[in-house]
Amino acid sequence: MFSQISLLDEMCMGKFTVEHLTTLQTVTKALRDEQFRFNVERGVLERLFAVLVRLYDEFRGLDEGRSVSLRLQLTAECFRAHRNACVQCSHNQCLLRDQGCIQVSLGILGTLLKITTGDPDNLFDAIRCGIQFLGNIAVGNHLCKADIWGHAFPHMFLDLLELCDEKATAYACMVLHTCLDEDKTEQLWTEPQHLKVALKIMELCRTEPDIDWPFLIATQHFFRSSELTKRIYAEMNDQERLTLLELILAQLGEGKEEDCLIPPRTAQILASYFQNSCKSVLSLSSASSANDQKALAVVRLLDILCEMTSKTNFRTLQDHPDLLQSTVELLKEVHLLGKASKNVFSAAQDFSLTEPGGAASHPAVSFKAHLIRLIGNLCHGHMANKDQIRELDGIALILDCCSIDSNNPFISQWAVFAIRNILEHNLENQKLVQGLKRQGVADDSMLREMGFRVEQRDGSLLLRPLKKEEWHGDN
């Protein structure tokens, strides 16, 4: 131990040498051992920090063009030693924090980011090790997290996240994830410069799919804040919004319903976005618009609303102003558009086009079925919506969509589901169905699946409940 202290003392005087690199590597290796780490003398950490301070001074006084290779290697190794000293050791974390190690480390990183000469491998090695140290000193230590946040947010975080080095970017995301909590997450939308950090994380979700940390930040922190989600969405272009919506949809499909972190307010915001932009999906009827990003965002918003309205957490969507009306009106336009000419919204019976690139891969496939699913969800157990769907002439519209359709797999099943929810405990809707005029010979198998049968009497069609022995709706 004494020899290590004396060797580190030597590094604080005179010129740096390759032997000093060996000294630091010895300390780094020793600090990997848990017993040594937990019992290391205060003097070792103090000398180690003194070396870091000297390296910082050297970089700040460095002349343009002067060789930095050895200094970069020494800096990387010194950061490694500090990093190892902090592993699951709050005592060492606090000791280094009290010495000012966080501020000095951030200062060195800021200086390293400005270096344009030397071996880039050595440069990025030092940067990576510095970021890793910040991650280790922050883990489980609220004081260190607060210090890092106070000195690095937002500008240093932005600089580190912009690095053209996948590992360094991943480590920077790791530090951000470690520091974030509910209060810090809310800070992300308070100023434009703060919001840039959140937008950069969402960009990394799209451009660096192999890095897990951006996804964890988005799903575990960003999505907890409705206001942050709203601000991020507003600043994004349509392609970027698709990434955000895909993540929300994936989050809804994971774990138990009670574990969902997305607040109901976010559901209301997304419902409003759907209402405001839903007509853009009509452009998909043109083959040349299959990649219309705005329309694709509407498709994904509908998928999300279908998932949300199937969960009790988001039951308030049933009362969202005009959501049911907007959905029914869009279904009418899509249905009429499909009848007016042959397009992706037209009913088809060709189930052979399921290979990649075929009709089944078009983004609008199942859109009409999902509109009906959303209507069914919004009407489930909600008498006001059941009445409204009748007033909007939505019942006949849904029944007219019951044909088998390869462009909308399972549309018949979703229509059955929706009609059953609409008729349940609503006599007016049942009377309306009973009063529908007969249009030739029809198959009543779908009505039977809902628990009803059609009888013809005196030229009229009557809707009757199935007898117990006839029922085959729910098995």
Side-chain angles (χ1 to χ4, degrees):
M1 190 78 73
F2 177 78
S3 62
Q4 290 173 339
I5 292 176
S6 61
L7 289 171
L8 290 172
D9 279 336
E10 288 181 14
M11 292 188 66
C12 296
M13 300 176 291
K15 187 178 179 181
F16 283 126
T17 66
V18 176
E19 286 73 22
H20 291 149
L21 182 59
T22 304
T23 298
L24 285 175
Q25 290 170 340
T26 301
V27 177
T28 299
K29 184 177 180 181
L31 287 168
R32 290 177 189 158
D33 181 78
E34 183 177 343
Q35 185 175 356
F36 179 86
R37 182 167 64 248
F38 276 79
N39 295 286
V40 65
E41 287 185 14
R42 181 187 184 96
V44 173
L45 296 182
E46 288 176 343
R47 267 67 168 191
L48 198 59
F49 175 62
V51 172
L52 194 65
V53 171
R54 189 186 169 200
L55 285 165
Y56 185 27
D57 292 339
E58 289 258 338
F59 277 117
R60 285 190 292 181
L62 201 62
D63 295 330
E64 187 72 26
R66 188 176 170 188
S67 175
V68 296
S69 179
L70 179 59
R71 289 169 182 78
L72 289 174
Q73 293 177 67
L74 289 168
T75 301
E77 200 60 43
C78 195
F79 273 140
R80 286 192 186 96
H82 281 82
R83 176 196 68 191
N84 290 358
C86 292
V87 175
Q88 298 179 340
C89 187
S90 59
H91 175 268
N92 292 349
Q93 288 175 328
C94 292
L95 194 154
L96 290 171
R97 172 189 173 269
D98 292 343
Q99 293 181 140
C101 199
I102 291 173
Q103 293 93 318
V104 170
S105 297
L106 288 169
I108 291 175
L109 286 171
T111 304
L112 294 179
L113 293 175
K114 299 173 184 176
I115 293 178
T116 57
T117 59
D119 185 348
D121 290 339
N122 288 336
L123 176 61
F124 280 116
D125 197 27
I127 291 173
R128 292 173 198 150
C129 292
I131 301 172
Q132 284 181 314
F133 161 65
L134 293 175
N136 281 10
I137 200 173
V139 171
N141 194 306
H142 294 295
L143 292 174
C144 291
K145 291 178 186 179
D147 275 8
I148 293 171
W149 188 262
H151 291 91
F153 179 78
H155 302 291
M156 179 58 74
F157 275 117
L158 275 173
D159 290 341
L160 295 177
L161 292 171
E162 293 283 357
L163 285 169
C164 298
D165 181 82
E166 184 175 317
K167 289 183 178 179
T169 301
Y171 299 154
C173 290
M174 177 263 293
V175 176
L176 181 62
H177 179 271
T178 302
C179 290
L180 278 173
D181 55 27
E182 185 175 350
D183 290 338
K184 294 184 181 70
T185 299
E186 293 301 325
Q187 290 180 35
L188 291 170
W189 58 265
T190 56
E191 294 183 22
Q193 200 68 15
H194 296 183
L195 188 59
K196 286 182 180 180
V197 176
L199 289 169
K200 182 59 185 181
I201 291 296
M202 296 310 304
E203 179 187 325
L204 292 171
C205 288
R206 180 172 55 86
T207 60
E208 298 288 352
D210 294 331
I211 303 178
D212 292 335
W213 290 109
F215 296 98
L216 293 175
I217 292 170
T219 56
Q220 295 180 5
H221 293 288
F222 291 0
F223 292 168
R224 288 177 181 265
S225 171
S226 296
E227 189 62 33
L228 178 58
T229 303
K230 177 181 177 181
R231 300 293 181 97
I232 289 174
Y233 193 91
E235 291 293 325
M236 287 177 156
N237 61 39
D238 293 317
Q239 184 180 14
E240 292 165 343
R241 287 173 177 174
L242 277 173
T243 301
L244 174 64
L245 296 174
E246 291 284 359
L247 286 177
I248 292 175
L249 186 61
Q251 180 75 3
L252 290 169
E254 289 184 358
K256 298 178 181 178
E257 185 174 337
E258 57 268 24
D259 296 331
C260 182
L261 302 176
I262 300 172
R265 172 65 184 145
T266 298
Q268 301 289 337
I269 292 170
L270 295 176
S272 296
Y273 288 148
F274 174 75
Q275 289 173 270
N276 294 336
S277 59
C278 63
K279 296 299 179 68
S280 62
V281 79
L282 301 176
S283 69
L284 294 177
S285 62
S286 169
S288 61
S289 299
N291 291 316
D292 184 334
Q293 300 295 308
K294 184 180 288 293
L296 296 179
V298 172
V299 172
R300 199 56 67 233
L301 280 167
L302 176 60
D303 293 339
I304 289 172
L305 292 176
C306 286
E307 286 297 322
M308 285 183 162
T309 51
S310 68
K311 301 177 185 296
T312 56
N313 305 30
F314 305 104
R315 192 61 57 83
T316 55
L317 279 173
Q318 291 185 305
D319 298 309
H320 186 82
D322 301 324
L323 178 57
L324 179 61
Q325 180 177 342
S326 298
T327 306
V328 173
E329 289 176 354
L330 183 59
L331 178 60
K332 285 180 182 178
E333 292 196 50
V334 166
H335 191 50
L336 290 174
L337 190 60
K339 286 188 169 184
S341 62
K342 188 174 181 181
N343 54 67
V344 72
F345 297 123
S346 304
Q349 281 77 43
D350 189 353
F351 290 90
S352 63
L353 299 177
T354 56
E355 69 276 0
S361 65
H362 193 285
V365 166
S366 292
F367 185 77
K368 190 158 64 172
H370 290 177
L371 286 173
I372 294 173
R373 177 189 176 189
L374 179 57
I375 292 170
N377 288 347
L378 292 173
C379 290
H380 177 69
H382 196 286
M383 195 58 68
N385 284 350
K386 294 174 193 281
D387 291 337
Q388 187 183 20
I389 194 75
R390 180 182 68 251
E391 295 161 4
L392 294 169
D393 297 325
I395 296 176
L397 173 65
I398 293 172
L399 290 172
D400 197 35
C401 294
C402 285
S403 303
I404 294 175
D405 181 1
S406 57
N407 283 334
N408 285 276
F410 306 109
I411 192 172
S412 298
Q413 289 86 337
W414 287 122
V416 168
F417 164 79
I419 292 295
R420 187 173 184 182
N421 284 349
I422 291 166
L423 298 185
E424 189 177 36
H425 305 310
N426 192 301
L427 294 177
E428 290 298 317
N429 288 348
Q430 293 177 23
K431 289 178 183 178
L432 186 149
V433 173
Q434 287 178 344
L436 291 175
K437 293 182 179 180
R438 184 175 181 183
Q439 304 266 333
V441 179
D443 183 0
D444 69 347
S445 59
M446 286 194 301
L447 283 173
R448 286 179 170 273
E449 289 184 37
M450 292 182 277
F452 298 94
R453 59 190 173 87
V454 176
E455 287 185 2
Q456 184 175 357
R457 184 179 299 175
D458 299 328
S460 298
L461 297 177
L462 301 179
L463 188 67
R464 299 292 189 194
L466 285 176
K467 296 177 182 179
K468 188 174 181 179
E469 58 271 19
E470 298 177 301
W471 172 246
H472 59 86
D474 287 331
N475 296 316

